[in-house]
Amino acid sequence: MKLFLSSDQWESFKPTTNIYWLHYVLNKMLMSVHYKKTNTILHNNGLSNLKQLKNVILSFNSAKSFAESDLILDLIG
């Protein structure tokens, strides 16, 4: 994964950088946040959903395509 996709060229739009940002945020939510009440079914289901999202989000080429995917509806539905 190339971390600096913009090469300091901020004039052009690179939608994949949003996907990398979302992947980073999901990773932080899974690894760095200290949750309360971690022994509940709701918590375990939420963590499972976050893990699933983190595992597949890099297969999308933009945040828009990710948001429009059926994956989101499956997880929140």
Side-chain angles (χ1 to χ4, degrees), residues 11-76:
E11 297 81 21
S12 64
F13 176 63
K14 299 193 183 326
T16 53
T17 57
N18 293 332
I19 288 295
Y20 293 132
W21 173 248
L22 290 170
H23 184 264
Y24 171 80
V25 171
L26 287 166
N27 189 58
K28 285 296 183 184
M29 291 173 70
L30 288 165
M31 305 301 289
S32 299
V33 176
H34 300 288
Y35 297 99
K36 297 178 182 178
K37 298 184 182 181
T38 58
N39 59 347
T40 65
I41 293 172
L42 182 62
H43 174 79
N44 291 331
N45 288 343
L47 280 184
S48 177
N49 289 346
L50 290 175
K51 287 176 187 174
Q52 184 179 355
L53 288 173
K54 182 180 173 252
N55 289 334
V56 300
I57 197 163
L58 292 177
S59 66
F60 292 90
N61 60 4
S62 70
K64 181 181 185 229
S65 65
F66 171 66
E68 292 175 343
S69 73
D70 291 336
L71 178 64
I72 300 295
L73 295 175
D74 292 343
L75 290 175
I76 63 173

